[in-house]
Amino acid sequence: MSPSVLEALKLTTAMKCAPHEGCSLLLRVQASLILHDSLRGLEACSMNLDTQETQCQNVRVSRASRRRQVGRQLQVHFDCFEVSVAQSLYVTLRTVPHFCGVQLDQQYHVEVEKFSYWVDRSRKVILVQVPEAPGAPDYYVRLCLKWFTCEDVGSPVRVTVNRMSRTVSLPYSQELPCLCLEGWSATPDAVRMQACPFEDETEALWDAIRYHPGDQALSWEPACPVSGHVSLCWRPGPGALCHNLEHSGRPAHGRVQYPLVDAQPQLCLKFSTSRGFRVRCPFQERRFQALPISRCTCVTRGSHGPLPAAQFSGPRPSPQPQ
């Protein structure tokens, strides 16, 4: 028998709900084949890859059907297999009797139904549509900041079965790449689904700059995990290249602080990541109240201008005229 007799194997999940009994997940198995006169039926087996437990079902093809429909395409629907959320299954389809090499295999992962959402930037809210099924349990949704774990931003919202609307409004303050939605069923050990609406938007990270006039400390602390480097740089004018200052490089893994920094408009912070670099000049924007600028000056290309004073861990270079 040719292997092409078995044309397709289709797997889908469905939810079965009964009054007073709750809901259960089922795996539907559908096969497409070309009927052969030697074929007596089909066998579908589902094996749980975690426990190696196997379930099998057989569908018989009557002799009358074989005589009338040999060579025609036939659709076969098996009874549903009971499954659980997050199961990994290996499904096999074979002929009865089994012919060597005539077999279809497919691996399938059972996922929980996902929530949907959309962002209203004008109101700074995220609207979440909770999945709905008759007899399904309550559902939780929340906002969280994703570091090593997802840390709560506000309290989770519980959507009850008898709630009129399945849409939840979650307000947010900043569009951060690690600000995520998390949803899960109100059942023990429920699988949690996550979505991060702003994962490609990093601009807000570079604005987390603080200046303390009393001790002249300039600091930056990202609200999300960042991989890269931060350094002080000197920008001669608007749109000009920002020149890195020696011994000012720091890994951007957490809070970075520079003590004894003068509030010079040309003094900037440069952030370098795998996506490129960003430059922020906090004193040029006059966001911070600052003490008078440094007494140190130098000659640069024939003109006088201030030189930023900052304390570094390495040796301090002497200002040299260019």
Side-chain angles (χ1 to χ4, degrees):
M1 182 180 294
S2 171
S4 61
V5 167
L6 298 181
E7 292 191 322
L9 173 63
K10 183 179 179 181
L11 307 175
T12 55
T13 50
M15 185 173 286
K16 178 183 177 182
C17 299
H20 312 296
E21 294 183 9
C23 299
S24 58
L25 274 177
L26 302 174
L27 177 69
R28 292 187 295 200
V29 180
Q30 180 179 338
S32 175
L33 71 152
I34 301 298
L35 198 58
H36 190 276
D37 56 358
S38 300
L39 191 144
R40 302 292 183 267
L42 288 178
E43 180 185 62
C45 293
S46 171
M47 182 178 68
N48 187 331
L49 293 180
D50 296 324
T51 64
Q52 303 299 306
E53 180 183 357
T54 302
Q55 306 175 64
C56 293
Q57 293 183 16
N58 288 279
V59 173
R60 306 296 295 184
V61 179
S62 66
R63 181 178 299 178
S65 296
R66 294 200 305 270
R67 289 177 179 174
R68 294 195 307 268
Q69 303 184 52
V70 168
R72 294 185 180 181
Q73 187 183 65
L74 187 67
Q75 302 290 329
V76 178
H77 297 266
F78 291 85
D79 290 336
C80 293
F81 293 93
E82 289 192 6
V83 294
S84 301
V85 174
Q87 271 189 349
S88 292
L89 305 172
Y90 189 75
V91 180
T92 303
L93 178 69
R94 300 192 299 182
T95 60
V96 178
H98 176 55
F99 293 91
C100 184
V102 184
Q103 179 173 309
L104 292 179
D105 305 299
Q106 187 173 330
Q107 192 166 332
Y108 188 81
H109 185 75
V110 182
E111 292 186 350
V112 68
E113 188 177 358
K114 298 180 180 180
F115 55 80
S116 58
Y117 69 91
W118 60 98
V119 179
D120 187 341
R121 295 177 186 265
S122 62
R123 294 167 50 204
K124 282 198 166 183
V125 295
I126 302 175
L127 301 169
V128 185
Q129 179 69 40
V130 174
E132 184 176 5
D138 293 352
Y139 201 83
Y140 284 103
V141 290
R142 68 166 181 165
L143 285 176
C144 58
L145 288 178
K146 192 173 183 179
W147 285 77
F148 297 106
T149 59
C150 219
E151 302 173 1
D152 272 326
V153 179
S155 301
V157 177
R158 182 164 183 159
V159 182
T160 58
V161 175
N162 56 0
R163 182 180 172 128
M164 293 293 294
S165 173
R166 305 289 287 182
T167 301
V168 176
S169 178
L170 301 176
Y172 65 90
S173 57
Q174 280 186 297
E175 297 175 359
L176 297 170
C178 62
L179 182 65
C180 300
L181 290 165
E182 194 169 61
W184 68 97
S185 175
T187 55
D189 301 322
V191 176
R192 299 195 176 197
M193 307 301 296
Q194 285 185 352
C196 304
F198 312 113
E199 59 185 346
D200 295 325
E201 301 181 28
T202 60
E203 287 301 311
L205 298 180
W206 321 129
D207 293 327
I209 302 172
R210 301 289 182 269
Y211 184 69
H212 306 278
D215 54 10
Q216 295 178 272
L218 183 67
S219 62
W220 169 77
E221 186 170 7
C224 297
V226 179
S227 180
H229 287 81
V230 59
S231 61
L232 292 174
C233 65
W234 183 255
R235 177 179 274 176
L241 182 66
C242 204
H243 303 281
N244 288 344
L245 298 183
E246 291 185 40
H247 313 296
S248 68
R250 303 284 190 275
H253 297 319
R255 189 169 186 263
V256 175
Q257 179 169 310
Y258 296 98
L260 298 179
V261 174
D262 287 330
Q264 308 265 3
Q266 289 84 8
L267 184 65
C268 307
L269 283 171
K270 183 177 182 180
F271 306 95
S272 302
T273 69
S274 59
R275 297 188 178 187
F277 67 89
R278 296 287 188 276
V279 175
R280 291 291 187 271
C281 303
F283 305 115
Q284 188 176 25
E285 301 164 5
R286 302 186 182 275
R287 291 166 44 193
F288 304 115
Q289 180 182 359
L291 297 176
I293 61 175
S294 171
R295 282 74 58 197
C296 180
T297 61
C298 69
V299 178
T300 305
R301 295 180 183 173
S303 63
H304 290 76
L307 178 73
Q311 185 177 21
F312 306 124
S313 58
R316 191 179 186 85
S318 301
Q320 299 291 334
Q322 295 183 355

